[in-house]
Amino acid sequence: MDVSIRKATLNDANTISNIYALSWKSAYKGIIPQKYLDELKSDFWVPTFENWIKDNIITAQLIYENELPVGCIAYSKSRDDKFADWGEIVSIYLLPDYFRKGYGQKLLQAAIVDMKIKGYKNCYLWVLKENISAREFYESNGFICNNDECTCKIMQKQLVDVRYILALDSYTK
């Protein structure tokens, strides 16, 4: 099996968006309203990623298994003034058939190496409070919940994100 990671380009926006939509429909079942997930279009994130990549707002990396794109990580300089000199992991998503196969780990490692090269000493990410498996994944990789919370609503359901932080020098996986 051939596994590789490469930096995403503008041409990858459709692929990334499709991975995100399929991942959301599986990973967020029971957390985000089902009607929202059922109506989520595979091209929902295309304009966002086109802008982010074109304007160098984020770095996205895709992971491939035998030339098939199966996951993506997006990260950047912090979007939070409180953490101005930090890196931020915006998202990690995989196609559902590739959950729990180590691909999230490989993407996370690639992003952390790149953030260290870019000079970041720390990074953070947001994760849905109810998403226990994602929280366990980040905790197993040395991230610590600092109890900052951010709320949003999807179809009248209030969702709470919690912030996880990591000192990049302490990452040893």
Side-chain angles (χ1 to χ4, degrees):
M1 172 176 28
D2 180 37
V3 177
S4 61
I5 296 176
R6 74 163 174 78
K7 186 175 176 184
T9 68
L10 206 49
N11 294 333
D12 295 314
N14 279 306
T15 299
I16 294 168
S17 186
N18 185 58
I19 290 169
Y20 277 45
L22 292 171
S23 187
W24 271 54
K25 289 172 187 272
S26 178
Y28 296 147
K29 195 174 291 246
I31 298 173
I32 290 177
Q34 191 60 46
K35 181 174 173 27
Y36 183 87
L37 295 175
D38 290 344
E39 294 173 359
L40 186 60
K41 303 284 187 236
S42 66
D43 63 353
F44 179 80
W45 285 275
V46 170
T48 302
F49 271 93
E50 286 177 342
N51 288 333
W52 280 352
I53 292 170
K54 176 176 54 76
D55 295 337
N56 290 315
I57 294 168
I58 61 103
T59 299
Q61 293 196 56
L62 286 157
I63 190 165
Y64 293 82
E65 181 183 280
N66 299 325
E67 309 282 322
L68 174 73
V70 299
C72 180
I73 189 166
Y75 54 97
S76 65
K77 177 185 182 314
S78 170
R79 298 176 292 174
D80 183 338
D81 292 340
K82 183 175 155 188
F83 293 81
D85 58 345
W86 290 43
E88 176 182 0
I89 295 175
V90 176
S91 56
I92 302 177
Y93 289 111
L94 298 165
L95 293 175
D97 288 347
Y98 297 87
F99 289 0
R100 291 177 176 66
K101 292 190 176 186
Y103 293 125
Q105 187 76 47
K106 290 180 186 308
L107 285 168
L108 184 62
Q109 287 171 335
I112 287 173
V113 166
D114 195 33
M115 283 192 279
K116 284 181 176 183
I117 290 168
K118 291 177 178 174
Y120 295 112
K121 304 284 185 232
N122 302 290
C123 74
Y124 72 90
L125 55 84
W126 292 101
V127 62
L128 284 169
K129 196 173 196 173
E130 291 182 58
N131 192 346
I132 302 305
S133 64
R135 293 180 69 176
E136 289 171 348
F137 169 75
Y138 294 121
E139 289 167 7
S140 75
N141 280 283
F143 283 82
I144 298 166
C145 183
N146 75 346
N147 296 313
D148 285 352
E149 292 188 352
C150 176
T151 60
C152 68
K153 276 189 179 174
I154 294 181
M155 292 187 146
Q156 310 311 313
K157 180 176 180 184
Q158 178 139 336
L159 298 166
V160 178
D161 278 315
V162 289
R163 188 188 321 253
Y164 275 78
I165 60 173
L166 177 71
L168 295 178
D169 289 341
S170 71
Y171 183 80
T172 58
K173 298 256 176 177

